Amino acid sequence: MNLIIDSGNTSVKLAIFNKGEVVHIETVAQKDFVQGVKKLFQEFPTVEAAIISNVGSLSKEKIKVVAVFCELHELSHTSKVPFKNSYATPQSLGVDRLALMTAAYYRKPHSNTLVIDAGTCITYDMLNDFDEYLGGAISPGIQMRYNAMHDQTAKLPLLEKTELLDYIGNSTENCMHSGVLYGVELELNGIIELYNSRFKDLTVILTGGDTQFLSKRVKNTIFADSKFLLKGLNYLLEYNKH
């Protein structure tokens, strides 16, 4: 059994894999990380190895707790990956993006794959049919766009995403919703079209916290997989054992 730890900007996702399959997933606040890890090892005492992707601010002291229970691999730009990394500044590349490209590689090697991770930020990452990671793009996520309008103005309210019937807003709140949601929708479809025009037989994977909300807004053929990052981390853990 493997323990997979995905530490984001606000919370930590903990997953247990057994023979390549997810058997348990939970999310804990960063302040509850140590307690959550101890509880997991009580429930799954046969966990032998763990990997952590830390793109948030989880402290080294908390991370070290995991190493008390099992072998721990801290994912970094020096970790072994099964593809060629052509990113110009690999030391600045988010380790979560390494995990996504690994999942893309194992899902369908030697093919053109665009992975869109819709979370706090929306990241676009491209693995070509030579198994070469080219890079991609980063833009603000849905909630970040709402937060920016509220934080950078005096009177606009703080909103959360909701479904809209019309792209023409008839109130300030509806105008904000339209700007964010249709802006993201058009961005996704436009960027997918750009990649489609350049890469033959492109596969598009949509993952991240807003996967379910956005999947029905993308016109192109995509595969939605909310566990894609966790799967990539599990692959990387196995790959770095050897």
Side-chain angles (χ1 to χ4, degrees):
M1 280 189 173
N2 291 333
L3 169 60
I4 310 304
I5 305 168
D6 172 26
S7 176
N9 292 297
T10 57
S11 60
V12 183
K13 190 169 289 186
L14 305 171
I16 300 292
F17 277 72
N18 186 24
K19 297 178 180 178
E21 298 296 326
V22 184
V23 296
H24 178 83
I25 296 179
E26 66 178 88
T27 301
V28 299
Q30 287 192 2
K31 64 181 179 63
D32 300 323
F33 174 73
V34 172
Q35 182 181 352
V37 166
K38 291 179 178 179
K39 180 172 173 286
L40 263 188
F41 277 99
Q42 289 176 348
E43 295 178 21
F44 301 95
T46 57
V47 169
E48 297 177 346
I51 188 171
I52 181 166
S53 165
N54 183 24
V55 299
S57 56
L58 197 64
S59 68
K60 288 288 185 182
E61 289 72 23
K62 289 184 176 181
I63 293 173
K64 286 179 181 177
V65 172
V66 182
V68 173
F69 296 95
C70 69
E71 292 290 326
L72 173 65
H73 181 85
E74 293 188 52
L75 187 59
S76 74
H77 71 279
T78 62
S79 298
K80 294 189 297 182
V81 294
F83 54 87
K84 179 183 177 183
N85 189 351
S86 294
Y87 205 67
T89 55
Q91 69 279 2
S92 70
L93 178 64
V95 289
D96 53 335
R97 298 171 76 185
L98 287 177
L100 292 171
M101 290 297 91
T102 300
Y105 170 83
Y106 280 106
R107 185 187 185 279
K108 194 177 181 182
H110 321 309
S111 65
N112 292 314
T113 304
L114 173 65
V115 179
I116 303 172
D117 186 4
T120 303
C121 287
I122 301 173
T123 59
Y124 303 84
D125 289 291
M126 181 68 204
L127 188 72
N128 69 13
D129 52 7
F130 292 100
D131 299 326
E132 179 184 14
Y133 172 55
L134 303 179
I138 305 173
S139 70
I142 290 178
Q143 193 57 49
M144 187 181 291
R145 299 180 194 214
Y146 282 120
N147 292 348
M149 285 193 287
H150 172 68
D151 294 341
Q152 301 299 319
T153 64
K155 294 184 179 180
L156 291 180
L158 179 59
L159 304 178
E160 295 184 358
K161 64 180 182 287
T162 186
E163 293 292 348
L164 271 185
L165 297 177
D166 195 348
Y167 60 85
I168 301 177
N170 61 358
S171 68
T172 298
E173 291 192 2
N174 283 345
C175 285
M176 293 172 66
H177 285 307
S178 178
V180 171
L181 300 179
Y182 285 99
V184 170
E185 178 180 328
L186 291 168
E187 175 189 310
L188 289 173
N189 286 307
I191 288 182
I192 292 172
E193 280 302 314
L194 280 177
Y195 280 82
N196 262 321
S197 67
R198 183 169 170 179
F199 298 97
K200 183 180 178 182
D201 300 323
L202 182 71
T203 297
V204 180
I205 308 290
L206 178 64
T207 190
D210 286 324
T211 299
Q212 185 174 1
F213 186 79
L214 289 175
S215 60
K216 53 183 174 288
R217 293 178 171 270
V218 180
K219 297 176 183 177
N220 298 271
T221 301
I222 61 165
F223 297 91
D225 187 347
S226 60
K227 301 183 182 71
F228 205 63
L229 175 61
L230 297 174
K231 293 175 181 177
L233 288 171
N234 189 60
Y235 283 131
L236 278 174
L237 176 55
E238 291 295 330
Y239 193 76
N240 280 272
K241 285 180 180 179
H242 309 294

